[in-house]
Amino acid sequence: MKQFDDELKKNSANYTPLNPVTFLKKTAFTFPDKISVVYNDRFYKWSETYTRCKKFASALQTYGFKKGDTIGFLAMNTPELYEAHYSVPMAGMILNAMNYRLDYKTLSYIIDHSELVMIFVDLEFLEIAEKAISYSQEKPDIIVIEDNSAGFINSTKYLDYENFLSKGNIKFVENILDDEWDTIAVNYTSGTTGNPKGVLTHYRGAYLNALGNIMEWNMESHPTYLWTLPMFHCNGWCFPWTIAAKAGTNICLRKVTSDSMYSAISKNKVNYMCGAPIVLGMLIDSEFKDKMKIDYTCKVMTAAAPPPAAVLQTMQEIGFEVTHVYGLTEVYGPCVVCAWDPEWDNLSVEKQAEIKSRQGVTYLVQEGIRVVNQKDSSDVPRDGKTIGEVLLKGNITMKGYLKNPEATKEAFSGGWFHTGDLGVMYDNGYVQLKDRSKDIIISGGENISSIEIENCIYDLDSVLACGVVAMKDKKWGEVPCVFIELKPKTKLSKKQVIDHCRSNLASFKIPKEVIFCSIPKTSTGKIQKFELRKLTPY
């Protein structure tokens, strides 16, 4: 048998590299007239989306860009960014969807580090994009994205998106993928220990996680998906590819408000959406929830902090079914899910909430998860009490960090990906996070580095020592809280600290509370953050 097997080879008839771009091509052929994308008064069919993406890819090559070049997007959840998830890889290039909430210094770093050759910019962010480029060594061409419905109209200084598309050829022949290990996208972490790291993801992982979303959510054909999750975040958790695979309809949303969400849900009969816990809070606290009551079940996938029992109960009462997931940029977004056992439906809402607070087990398309002792890497007991580091491995784990072999080696030590998150494991194999080893603050789904805020505050001459920890917040889940110890005979006000941070940090990183006190330290002078957490006011 072995000799016979050795004679068999992969060929074009029995092997094709996994490529999520094929989802668009197949759906455009099978369901050409079904609506693919809706944005305000703009509607596209799947055949039209496919044509637009081919023209986009062709235009990129017309500009002289080549396979492996990186194309940036600084854009809202509009059709242009959705199309980019197909058109950029169609041209054999790498997509870098950037976080529009970042400050210009961080954007400038990302532009240089990823070697952008062109950047598509929503006119709302043109000023900060121009400033970022002025500070960068790379000088990518700018193509602007107009949005008449939002009042952002091009001044003709730059070529706009639609005119860029007009330079493409509808008969464009798509790039043939030779290796599914090729890079499809680079996504940047939040820079929790310095500059953000560029996470390289491959075609195989994007394809598999797109299918993983379908399986873990039991997603039916032709879903209607509302874009409340930013597409720049882990490529929208791979849902741009997922929705095409199921021939669904993408409802694009520029601004996420309770009004805009309920209006979109009511108008389009949305039955799937993703978002941070803050999105759930907006739906619950909205005055529109009674006016636009949902008479069917809309499924919501949420990550970060687990929803409290009261939130789960209210969401269920108003027509939403919540699924709790966990993941990181390095694993294509969600790769762990609280897989629900129907027997748990008979439990009290409080007990259900307790179970849903557990991050759960790996996606079917991810290989494994462990919780290990950080000293000897041995597996912790499955007692729901013993804390260890969460490790992951499998096909939806990144290739590595761009231009950072040391960080890549450290992340993959022992043949597993080290998340840096601490958790426990229960007897049924479900994992629950307990702390974050790098003191990351998750605010409204955004990761915030405590070190970055501390470094900013240390620029103030009056500061002797400072520590930043997470503080509970009803709206955002967590927000930064700053503790400051002043130098002798100096003064500093809370307003001065906040104003200084506002001038140097992205808006979502600005501390919500400033406390002046003597900061607890170890004998070696290290700040004891676990003591600071006890002192937070909420």
Side-chain angles (χ1 to χ4, degrees), residues 255-492:
K255 298 286 187 181
V256 178
T257 65
S258 58
D259 185 3
S260 64
M261 284 191 290
Y262 273 112
S263 295
I265 291 169
S266 176
K267 181 179 180 180
N268 300 285
K269 209 171 179 61
V270 169
N271 55 355
Y272 289 91
M273 58 187 289
C274 298
I278 186 175
V279 173
L280 276 59
M282 292 168 68
L283 291 168
I284 288 173
D285 297 335
S286 172
E287 62 183 24
F288 295 95
K289 75 172 186 291
D290 295 323
K291 297 178 182 178
M292 303 180 181
K293 191 170 180 64
I294 301 172
D295 58 1
Y296 62 94
T297 299
C298 178
K299 295 185 177 182
V300 181
M301 185 178 283
T302 190
V311 170
L312 287 174
Q313 183 173 358
T314 305
M315 287 291 287
Q316 190 171 337
E317 289 171 352
I318 61 177
F320 295 94
E321 179 186 302
V322 180
T323 298
H324 185 208
V325 296
Y326 161 70
L328 305 92
T329 305
E330 289 89 341
V331 289
Y332 298 74
C335 79
V336 174
V337 60
C338 187
W340 196 251
D341 187 332
E343 292 184 4
W344 297 337
D345 291 336
N346 299 320
L347 300 174
S348 66
V349 173
E350 290 74 19
K351 185 61 179 177
Q352 288 184 37
E354 179 188 329
I355 295 173
K356 283 194 175 184
S357 69
R358 300 171 191 175
Q359 278 62 30
V361 293
T362 59
Y363 265 34
L364 288 171
V365 293
Q366 185 70 315
E367 187 63 26
I369 186 169
R370 296 170 64 200
V371 179
V372 302
N373 185 302
Q374 289 184 289
K375 292 182 179 179
D376 60 13
S377 296
S378 61
D379 288 276
V380 302
R382 294 190 174 194
D383 56 9
K385 297 178 181 178
T386 308
I387 295 177
E389 184 182 10
V390 178
L391 308 185
L392 294 162
K393 78 176 336 182
N395 289 302
I396 53 172
T397 303
M398 67 171 180
K399 295 175 67 172
Y401 296 115
L402 177 63
K403 303 175 185 175
N404 199 336
E406 291 184 3
T408 300
K409 183 179 179 180
E410 181 181 355
F412 290 148
S413 63
W416 287 75
F417 168 61
H418 292 249
T419 67
D421 287 330
L422 304 179
V424 299
M425 182 171 281
Y426 289 84
D427 57 358
N428 63 353
Y430 279 54
V431 168
Q432 182 176 22
L433 297 189
K434 290 296 183 181
D435 200 358
R436 298 174 182 87
S437 60
K438 296 179 181 178
D439 298 311
I440 298 171
I441 300 166
I442 301 181
S443 184
E446 291 284 352
N447 288 350
I448 302 174
S449 166
S450 59
I451 295 174
E452 181 182 4
I453 300 174
E454 289 163 1
N455 289 341
C456 175
I457 293 173
Y458 273 122
D459 287 338
L460 296 167
D461 293 335
S462 303
V463 176
L464 175 65
C466 77
V468 176
V469 297
M471 178 177 71
K472 291 183 179 179
D473 183 85
K474 183 178 180 181
K475 180 178 181 181
W476 299 103
E478 293 178 348
V479 292
C481 177
V482 179
F483 291 86
I484 296 176
E485 185 173 339
L486 295 175
K487 295 176 182 177
K489 299 180 181 180
T490 61
K491 294 182 179 180
L492 191 65

